[in-house]
């Protein structure tokens, strides 16, 4: 039986694991991201590659050391699409023996190619079964994202500490035992009700902040030093739009709308999520958010291009903006200090 | 009536399209102003305007636009999205127009190429001409004439470049994007130094574009950036014909960080990985170049 490694990104490893373990006969090794992962990844990566490369490479190395023999990389747009080939070369140079599969090539999910690759490993892929489980895991992602929106807005004001996180862990555990669509939907509704029943202390609610930026850094809590949770602890409700559901399904339809809404600033698509972020920035400014936090992994080119324009918008609407650029050597204390200073500034502006 | 002045920044895609722009607009009876060769002053001004994490050529580009902003009526700012799905460009070129539009208060002459949405080079030129009410027939015929001239020149350059391969001296291939290689601050000092050391410097344009793009597949199957593909193609094309390779990268280049890393891992030639950042001091680079040249010569003569 093959042992498979999927790089972690936030909580999305649950649906990914669910999908892959059901369509092919295999065992999945889960690699939680730790400092060791990061160290392994960055010591074997080129100098100024973006940080997600280092995270995923690190988890591959850790997985291979635990005896994995099949690696799965997701691929996609911007630089993500080229990770696969270079990571494969790096791992081969390190002397490991493995098979590697890239899910998205040339911006598309090519079923035939992936079927061929899986059959090369001596495994079988049933089309109907695959489609059914893809459908289920997509639904799972949608439900997770819907609940995440609610959590982000309210987690800072829970009466009993940790009740949101506890319930979410339980939910993910239950989601991974999904039997069929109705079972999944039933669980979603059940947990939605449970989340809404968690008691909140609304007197703490003061400020709201929008988070925009590069997708991996936004979605993986380890990569942004759990920034969302830190904000919540300060009593700030957080709005974040980027999630897997948006990237996979909504982006295609929304991008034109976004471009027309930001006509004064941008004319063209600016690559990756840059124009989306500019549109969101304008939206957040217009809706009286107290501040905007823009974060990216260092050297993320499209986001760097968006920064002067975000600056201009924030200046016009007089909304403070804080830029974070996370590398492998950013210290947690530094991030906290800057956040605290940002919070103090928001507070001062309000009391003026 | 005064002629309309059109400015062309001598940075980024100037080295691919600049001569084409210049000849095209001169034939159509415009005044063309090309910004001077890059110098420290231009770079410093660009550096102040840019976000500090932007790449070096980008900062230089902003400096050039800054130089031109009061000296002409329109400035050409190319925006190149892609040359088809597997021939994409760096995201900097996608956002160039919007960045300049927001940073400067200038009239931009927009040149947009997006092959996967059926906007090709001819469309780009016609649109530029249409902005000045020049009819499409005239523009098209001028474009074709000019294009022919430029292509002839390109072919001549390729032949000149190939002639160097027959030379008996040490030959070094410099791999770098044209906006690094031919820039007066980044690439020129390095080329000058090597030529002073009696070394034949081979540029990446050793064959026609199509051949290089095909050749790139021997090293990397997945690569989808056109400029990187051409460089990697040149490396594969010259595998047995040169003595060494210099990978010249400007700090934090997105494409090179991945594509060059793979090329370095696959090539069997001796190579030097040069990363140029904020342009202070050539001495460090000089030492590294010297020792690289020494190593190459020893290998040949011992």
């Amino acid at each position: 039986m093959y042992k498979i490694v999927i790089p972690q990104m936030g909580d999305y490893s649950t649906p990914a694991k669910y999908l892959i373990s059901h369509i092919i006969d295999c065992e999945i090794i889960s690699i939680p991201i730790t400092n060791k992962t990061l160290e392994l990844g960055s010591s074997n990566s080129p100098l100024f590659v973006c940080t997600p490369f280092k995270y995923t490479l690190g988890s591959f190395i850790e997985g291979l050391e635990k005896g994995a023999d099949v690696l799965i990389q997701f691929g996609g747009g911007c630089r993500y699409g080229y990770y696969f080939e270079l990571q494969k070369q790096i791992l081969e140079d390190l002397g490991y023996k493995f098979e590697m599969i890239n899910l998205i090539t040339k911006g598309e999910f090519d079923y035939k190619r992936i079927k061929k690759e899986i059959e090369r490993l001596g495994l079988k892929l049933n089309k109907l079964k695959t489609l059914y489980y893809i459908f289920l895991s997509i639904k799972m992602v949608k439900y997770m994202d819907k609940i995440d929106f609610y959590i982000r807005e309210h987690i800072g004001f829970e009466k009993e500490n940790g009740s949101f996180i506890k319930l979410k862990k339980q939910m993910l555990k239950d989601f991974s035992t999904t039997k069929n669509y109705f079972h999944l939907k039933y669980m979603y509704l059940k947990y939605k009700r449970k989340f809404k029943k968690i008691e909140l202390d609304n007197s703490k609610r003061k400020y709201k902040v929008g988070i925009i930026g590069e997708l991996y850094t936004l979605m993986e809590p380890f990569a942004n030093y759990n920034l969302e949770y830190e904000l919540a602890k300060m009593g700030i409700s957080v709005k974040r739009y980027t999630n897997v559901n948006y990237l996979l399904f909504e982006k295609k339809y929304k991008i034109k709308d976004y471009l027309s809404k930001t006509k004064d600033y941008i004319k063209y698509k600016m690559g990756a999520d840059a124009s989306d972020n500019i549109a969101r920035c304008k939206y957040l400014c217009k809706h009286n958010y107290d501040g905007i936090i823009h974060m990216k992994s260092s050297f993320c080119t499209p986001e760097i291009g968006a920064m002067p324009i975000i600056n201009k918008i924030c200046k016009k609407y007089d909304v403070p903006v804080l830029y974070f650029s996370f590398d492998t050597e950013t210290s947690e204390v530094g991030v906290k200090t800057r956040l605290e200073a940002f919070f103090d500034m928001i507070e001062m502006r309000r009391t003026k | 009536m005064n002629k309309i002045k059109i400015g062309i920044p001598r940075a980024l895609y100037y080295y691919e399209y600049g001569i084409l722009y210049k000849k095209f607009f001169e034939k159509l009876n415009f005044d063309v102003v090309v910004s001077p060769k890059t110098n420290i002053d231009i770079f410093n001004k660009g550096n102040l305007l840019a976000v500090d994490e932007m790449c070096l050529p980008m900062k230089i580009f902003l400096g050039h636009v800054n130089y031109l902003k009061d000296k002409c009526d329109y400035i050409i700012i190319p925006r190149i999205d892609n040359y088809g799905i597997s021939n994409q460009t760096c995201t900097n070129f996608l956002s160039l127009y919007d960045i300049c539009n927001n940073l400067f208060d200038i009239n931009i002459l927009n040149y947009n190429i997006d092959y996967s949405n059926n906007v090709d080079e001819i469309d780009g030129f016609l649109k530029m001409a249409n902005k000045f009410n020049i009819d499409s027939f005239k523009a098209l015929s001028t474009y074709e004439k000019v294009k022919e001239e430029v292509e002839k020149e390109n072919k001549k350059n390729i032949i000149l470049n190939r002639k160097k391969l027959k030379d008996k001296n040490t030959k070094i291939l410099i791999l770098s994007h044209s906006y690094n290689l031919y820039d007066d601050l980044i690439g020129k000092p390095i080329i000058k130094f090597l030529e002073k050391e009696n070394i034949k410097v081979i540029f990446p344009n050793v064959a026609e574009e199509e051949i290089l793009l095909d050749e790139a597949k021997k090293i990397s199957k997945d690569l989808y950036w056109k400029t990187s593909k051409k460089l990697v193609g040149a490396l594969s094309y010259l595998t047995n014909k040169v003595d060494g390779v210099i990978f010249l990268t400007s700090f934090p280049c997105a494409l090179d960080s991945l594509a060059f890393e793979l090329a370095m891992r696959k090539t069997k030639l001796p190579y030097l990985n040069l990363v140029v950042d904020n342009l202070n001091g050539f001495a460090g680079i000089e030492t590294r170049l010297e020792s690289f040249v020494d190593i190459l010569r020893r290998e040949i003569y011992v």
Side-chain angles (χ1 to χ4, degrees):
Chain A
M1 201 148 80
Y2 284 110
K3 286 180 178 172
I4 294 184
V5 176
I6 315 167
Q8 184 193 329
M9 185 173 75
D11 301 319
Y12 294 108
S13 46
T14 308
K17 260 183 213 167
Y18 178 77
L19 171 66
I20 288 166
S21 63
H22 277 86
I23 56 173
I24 46 180
D25 186 26
C26 63
E27 186 188 327
I28 290 172
I29 305 177
S30 57
I31 313 278
I33 294 181
T34 55
N35 280 331
K36 192 190 157 200
T37 321
L38 192 53
E39 219 167 87
L40 278 173
S42 56
S43 61
N44 289 306
S45 300
L47 183 63
F48 37 83
V49 74
C50 40
T51 351
F53 186 95
K54 296 171 185 172
Y55 282 105
T56 46
L57 185 68
S59 25
F60 284 151
I61 294 176
E62 244 181 288
L64 285 168
E65 251 149 38
K66 280 185 187 164
D69 33 29
V70 178
L71 311 176
I72 293 181
Q73 177 61 277
F74 287 93
C78 195
R79 261 191 269 187
Y80 289 112
Y82 196 61
Y83 281 8
F84 165 73
E85 197 176 20
L86 184 56
Q87 285 183 334
K88 197 177 171 193
Q89 182 70 31
I90 289 174
L91 291 172
E92 273 169 6
D93 286 352
L94 285 174
Y96 294 110
K97 276 188 183 150
F98 59 93
E99 294 284 342
M100 201 162 165
I101 297 173
N102 195 9
L103 290 186
I104 298 172
T105 42
K106 291 181 183 169
E108 278 174 9
F109 181 84
D110 186 354
Y111 177 76
K112 271 185 189 166
R113 186 186 57 83
I114 288 164
K115 195 184 176 193
K116 250 186 209 168
E117 298 225 355
I118 287 175
E119 276 169 359
R120 199 164 45 93
L121 300 177
L123 293 167
K124 273 179 191 165
L125 204 62
N126 185 329
K127 192 168 188 178
L128 262 177
K129 205 175 155 192
T130 313
L131 284 176
Y132 177 64
Y133 281 106
I134 286 179
F135 164 74
L136 269 189
S137 34
I138 285 171
K139 278 282 172 207
M140 201 188 288
V141 168
K142 272 190 181 170
Y143 291 151
M144 275 169 59
D145 284 342
K146 270 185 191 167
I147 283 180
D148 268 347
F149 264 117
Y150 182 80
I151 294 177
R152 243 173 267 134
E153 260 171 52
H154 300 285
I155 189 170
F157 321 109
E158 53 193 3
K159 267 189 178 160
E160 192 187 325
N161 257 351
S163 46
F164 269 102
I165 290 179
K166 214 168 150 192
L167 192 58
K168 199 187 169 188
K169 264 186 193 160
Q170 207 185 335
M171 181 188 85
L172 290 175
K173 214 176 182 184
D174 274 8
F175 270 13
S176 62
T177 59
T178 305
K179 284 173 200 147
N180 52 40
Y181 175 60
F182 298 105
H183 185 213
L184 182 69
K185 179 131 195 176
Y186 165 74
M187 279 193 294
Y188 162 63
L189 292 172
K190 189 178 92 185
Y191 276 102
K192 199 174 152 192
R193 221 175 300 131
K194 272 190 181 176
F195 272 113
K196 291 213 164 143
K197 265 186 191 165
I198 290 178
E199 280 185 49
L200 298 173
D201 179 8
N202 278 324
S203 62
K204 277 193 213 163
R205 192 183 294 269
K206 285 177 192 162
Y207 312 113
K208 46 183 184 174
V209 160
I211 298 190
I212 51 179
E214 185 253 345
L215 61 105
Y216 188 91
T217 316
L218 283 175
M219 289 192 278
E220 170 54 51
F222 189 88
N224 58 35
Y225 298 88
N226 236 335
L227 193 126
E228 279 175 9
Y229 189 63
E230 294 290 332
L231 283 173
K233 272 201 281 186
M234 292 172 179
I236 295 174
S237 69
V238 174
K239 192 100 186 169
R240 182 191 89 191
Y241 295 93
T242 310
N243 52 35
V244 168
N245 185 32
Y246 170 77
L247 291 170
L248 289 180
F249 307 107
E250 290 172 8
K251 191 173 167 158
K252 279 179 215 159
Y253 310 108
K254 283 196 174 169
I255 189 81
K256 269 186 190 165
D257 183 36
Y258 281 159
L259 282 177
S260 70
K261 273 179 187 160
T262 45
K263 243 187 227 160
D264 316 342
Y265 301 98
I266 54 173
K267 191 173 173 185
Y268 297 110
K269 280 188 225 169
M270 291 173 68
D273 290 345
S275 20
D276 316 35
N277 281 331
I278 290 167
R280 285 178 199 139
C281 174
K282 195 180 167 189
Y283 176 88
L284 293 170
C285 287
K286 266 190 170 174
H287 286 75
N288 291 326
Y289 273 70
D290 295 294
I292 290 172
I293 295 179
H294 178 267
M295 56 185 174
K296 63 171 176 29
S297 66
S298 2
F299 313 128
C300 174
T301 328
E303 293 302 330
I304 293 170
M307 273 161 75
I309 301 167
I310 290 175
N311 243 342
K312 198 180 169 188
I313 296 175
C314 287
K315 228 175 224 173
K316 195 187 159 194
Y317 288 93
D318 196 24
V319 173
V321 58
L322 176 65
Y323 294 105
F324 276 115
S325 185
F326 292 111
D327 199 0
T328 48
E329 267 117 47
T330 320
S331 81
E332 202 176 336
V333 190
V335 174
K336 261 188 190 169
T337 319
R338 290 185 64 193
L339 266 186
E340 272 160 21
F342 187 66
F343 178 75
D344 288 345
M345 190 187 62
I346 290 177
E347 215 165 29
M348 273 180 334
R349 286 164 64 96
R350 263 291 179 87
T351 47
K352 239 180 204 176
Chain B
M1 200 181 92
N2 274 341
K3 281 184 189 174
I4 297 172
K5 269 188 187 173
I6 289 178
I8 307 175
R10 195 191 286 267
L12 292 182
Y13 266 137
Y14 172 79
Y15 302 97
E16 309 250 331
Y17 288 110
I19 301 161
L20 206 60
Y21 293 145
K22 198 180 166 205
K23 286 189 174 168
F24 180 72
F25 283 109
E26 271 172 358
K27 281 234 162 99
L28 290 173
N29 212 10
F30 286 90
D31 253 356
V32 177
V33 186
V34 180
S35 59
K37 289 175 179 171
T38 317
N39 52 40
I40 292 282
D41 190 41
I42 285 179
F43 166 72
N44 282 342
K45 277 183 183 146
N47 198 8
L48 286 178
L49 284 163
V51 179
D52 50 357
E53 265 182 276
M54 272 180 185
C55 69
L56 187 56
M58 190 70 186
K59 287 175 182 171
I60 290 176
F61 183 86
L62 293 178
H64 280 279
V65 176
N66 183 55
Y67 173 88
L68 285 171
K69 72 178 178 194
D70 322 312
K71 295 183 178 65
C72 42
D73 307 318
Y74 286 91
I75 296 176
I76 298 182
I77 296 198
R79 182 217 179 240
I80 289 144
D81 192 307
N82 56 56
Y83 297 90
I85 190 131
S86 54
N87 282 322
Q88 297 183 10
T89 55
C90 172
T91 44
N92 267 341
F93 296 116
L94 269 72
S95 53
L96 206 53
Y97 172 88
D98 291 312
I99 292 174
C100 291
N101 202 4
N102 281 291
L103 282 179
F104 301 101
D105 185 23
I106 47 173
N107 288 326
I108 293 180
L109 187 53
N110 182 12
Y111 174 71
N112 180 30
I113 289 186
D114 187 348
Y115 275 73
S116 59
N117 288 328
N118 295 324
V119 184
D120 61 3
E121 207 177 297
I122 300 171
D123 289 334
F125 273 92
L126 289 189
K127 258 187 196 157
M128 281 203 289
N130 283 345
K131 194 162 184 178
F132 301 111
N133 297 326
I134 294 165
D135 65 67
S136 301
F137 278 116
K138 196 181 166 194
L140 194 63
S141 63
T142 345
Y143 167 76
E144 272 167 3
K145 247 186 240 164
V146 172
K147 181 83 183 168
E148 210 171 291
E149 277 174 42
V150 171
E151 262 175 12
K152 248 185 208 167
E153 198 131 303
N154 280 346
K155 268 181 193 164
K156 227 188 248 171
N157 282 338
I158 290 173
I159 290 166
L160 272 178
N161 201 12
R162 275 204 202 165
K163 259 187 193 165
K164 289 188 213 159
L165 286 173
K166 285 172 191 155
D167 203 281
K168 273 180 189 163
N169 276 331
T170 318
K171 291 170 292 255
I172 292 183
L173 170 68
I174 289 200
L175 285 187
S176 186
H177 302 287
S178 52
Y179 47 81
N180 292 333
L181 195 54
Y182 304 118
D183 192 274
D184 272 65
L185 274 185
I186 308 174
K188 277 274 171 69
I190 291 168
I191 295 169
K192 246 186 217 165
F193 176 83
L194 289 174
E195 273 168 356
K196 211 175 71 193
E197 292 274 314
N198 225 352
I199 278 169
K200 284 287 161 197
V201 180
I202 315 287
F203 295 123
N205 59 335
V206 278
E208 278 78 22
E209 210 173 88
E210 293 80 36
I211 299 174
L212 292 183
L213 291 180
D214 250 12
E215 196 77 24
K217 281 176 192 153
K218 282 184 191 166
I219 288 186
S220 163
K221 277 179 200 159
D222 280 6
L223 197 59
Y224 51 78
W225 296 298
K226 194 184 180 192
T227 41
S228 288
K229 253 181 167 179
K230 277 202 273 184
L231 298 177
V232 171
L235 177 67
S236 150
Y237 189 80
L238 294 178
T239 306
N240 299 318
K241 291 171 191 158
V242 290
D243 303 308
V245 191
I246 294 178
F247 291 96
L248 176 63
T249 315
S250 53
F251 188 72
C253 179
L255 315 188
D256 294 353
S257 69
L258 296 171
F260 277 5
E261 178 75 16
L262 189 84
M264 280 177 223
R265 281 170 185 271
K266 287 209 169 167
T267 184
K268 277 162 194 152
L269 289 164
Y271 66 81
L272 174 70
N273 184 15
L274 267 187
V275 181
V276 183
D277 58 359
N278 264 355
L279 304 167
N280 22 24
F282 186 63
I285 292 172
E286 205 175 69
T287 322
R288 294 186 62 195
L289 283 173
E290 248 168 21
S291 68
F292 183 60
V293 169
D294 284 347
I295 289 169
L296 284 186
R297 287 214 166 119
R298 192 169 292 170
E299 219 166 62
I300 294 165
Y301 295 119
V302 165

